[in-house]
Amino acid sequence: ACVPLLFIEEPESHMHPQMQTAFATYLEKFLGKLSNVQIQTFLTSHSAHIANTMEFAKVRYAQKSNAGVIYKNLNTFAQANSDNVNFIRKYLTLTKCDLFFADAAILVEGVAESMLLPHFIRSKFPELYQRYITILGVNGRHAHRLSPLIEKLCLPTLVITDLDPAEKEGYHKSVVLKRGEGQISGNYAIAKWLMKEKDIDKLVDYSEDKKEFSFASPYRFSIRLAYQTPVKVDFEGEEKEAIPGTFEDCLIYTNYDL
């Protein structure tokens, strides 16, 4: 039997970004009008504009590794995460994120981190600056919502987030971070995704090696978690422990002498 096939390689090479955004949807509608016979189309692309318009069910992700090229069917990902996949797709569409094409990702909570991290990397880590790393602001404590996609893509990731201290009982009201108060973390990326620990007293004392998590499916990659930890500051000639409440607080305390 004759199976009509259409192969299109990297159409973005000759397209304006706005046209890239509309191209895949237009192509699908055009082919539907062109013939009653379904034409199976293979479109290869490195364009985040094109990728963000596609449903996960239609995406086949090719990733180069030491073992060769690995192909991943994101249709299985979409079916396995049906309760969360709409949020992820809408979020990626809004942010024009290029997770599909990055060597690694850094997830941050807000604008301050998004502005400062590129400067830090460019100034202090020039080799890292040469790599294709996407910095994605998740606008709050939503990093855990992207966990299924990151793990599916086997994407090395740094998650920079806040402890979000809260009362242990009742409605878990937000509180000022303090030791010995029986506080818990209200951040799901910490409490449920990565650390799987809520106790604030334990979290602030964890060593750095306990904040790195290795995954081996289908090959090994790591996710690193970073949150505020106690900082020693010289206050009026006496060393004091300061426990930052946010990324900005931590930045100030760490550079207190400035």
Side-chain angles (χ1 to χ4, degrees), residues 157-220:
T157 301
L158 169 63
V159 180
I160 301 177
T161 190
D162 295 333
L163 282 170
D164 296 311
E167 294 178 347
K168 186 176 183 179
E169 307 298 335
Y171 292 102
H172 308 306
K173 180 182 177 181
S174 297
V175 294
V176 177
L177 197 156
K178 293 181 180 179
R179 289 185 184 270
E181 298 286 334
Q183 297 175 355
I184 64 170
S185 173
N187 191 313
Y188 286 159
I190 296 173
K192 293 189 177 182
W193 176 24
L194 296 171
M195 298 297 292
K196 295 182 173 60
E197 174 63 66
K198 293 182 179 181
D199 191 294
I200 287 289
D201 291 328
K202 292 181 180 178
L203 289 169
V204 296
D205 286 331
Y206 273 142
S207 59
E208 298 304 313
D209 62 295
K210 290 188 176 181
K211 300 173 187 175
E212 183 172 339
F213 307 88
S214 294
F215 300 80
S217 177
Y219 59 88
R220 187 169 298 279

Side-chain angles (χ1 to χ4, degrees), residues 5-144:
L5 299 175
L6 173 62
F7 292 88
I8 303 175
E9 183 178 7
E10 299 186 355
E12 66 270 14
S13 300
H14 309 285
M15 289 185 183
H16 185 277
Q18 287 180 313
M19 184 178 289
Q20 293 177 37
T21 300
F23 176 72
T25 302
Y26 173 81
L27 177 65
E28 190 171 21
K29 291 181 179 178
F30 173 76
L31 293 177
K33 297 177 181 178
L34 186 65
S35 171
N36 293 327
V37 179
Q38 184 174 0
I39 302 174
Q40 188 168 0
T41 305
F42 297 85
L43 189 156
T44 64
S45 176
H46 288 89
S47 168
H49 297 283
I50 291 177
N52 285 337
T53 64
M54 302 300 296
E55 298 176 11
F56 284 123
K58 298 178 180 178
V59 176
R60 303 298 181 263
Y61 180 72
Q63 188 174 46
K64 187 176 181 180
S65 70
N66 293 333
V69 178
I70 298 175
Y71 292 91
K72 300 176 183 179
N73 184 351
L74 293 196
N75 185 33
T76 59
F77 158 77
Q79 293 176 351
N81 297 275
S82 57
D83 58 335
N84 195 32
V85 72
N86 285 336
F87 171 87
I88 296 175
R89 184 168 182 269
K90 288 177 182 177
Y91 189 81
L92 294 186
T93 301
L94 287 172
T95 58
K96 294 300 179 189
C97 176
D98 52 358
L99 285 179
F100 288 123
F101 312 105
D103 293 326
I106 302 177
L107 306 187
V108 298
E109 288 200 3
V111 176
E113 298 96 316
S114 298
M115 292 176 60
L116 290 171
L117 273 175
H119 172 70
F120 291 159
I121 294 173
R122 183 171 57 251
S123 301
K124 299 296 184 180
F125 306 97
E127 292 184 4
L128 192 61
Y129 187 68
Q130 300 300 317
R131 305 299 297 272
Y132 192 7
I133 299 175
T134 182
I135 299 175
L136 174 60
V138 297
N139 299 318
R141 48 187 180 184
H142 304 301
H144 66 286

